[in-house]
Amino acid sequence: YGRTPLHIAAKYGYVRVVEALLAAGAPLDVLDEKKETPLQKALVYLKAQLPDLPDPNDAYQLALIALLLAQRMPVSALTVLD
């Protein structure tokens, strides 16, 4: 298990970094220390931060990252978070 640059970029909403990492072939199925994929990391962070985000663009950035990651993940790897 290990956090990758994609985990970090996805969590903090760095869309261009996520795009660059995906273009470079960053793996999507690596689990971090919490056993989360980069997609799960983005969704968990978005869910936790949504009520407190002062700027709607922050939510937009995180949602965009989730969509970018979800497009490339096999359906079997996508899970619904409670």
Side-chain angles (χ1 to χ4, degrees):
Y1 301 108
R3 192 173 354 171
T4 66
L6 189 55
H7 281 92
I8 296 166
K11 177 179 178 178
Y12 291 109
Y14 301 137
V15 175
R16 289 191 177 144
V17 175
V18 168
E19 290 174 329
L21 290 168
L22 292 174
L28 297 171
D29 58 352
V30 174
L31 302 177
D32 67 4
E33 65 281 351
K34 293 183 180 180
K35 297 185 181 177
E36 294 174 340
T37 65
L39 173 59
Q40 290 168 321
K41 187 65 74 183
L43 293 174
V44 166
Y45 189 73
L46 175 60
K47 182 178 176 182
Q49 298 300 317
L50 202 51
D52 299 323
L53 290 174
D55 183 351
N57 284 330
D58 292 341
Y60 169 77
Q61 299 281 31
L62 291 167
L64 180 58
I65 285 172
L67 287 172
L68 285 169
L69 295 171
Q71 284 179 4
R72 292 185 165 98
M73 298 272 309
V75 173
S76 62
L78 300 175
T79 58
V80 177
L81 301 174
D82 294 329

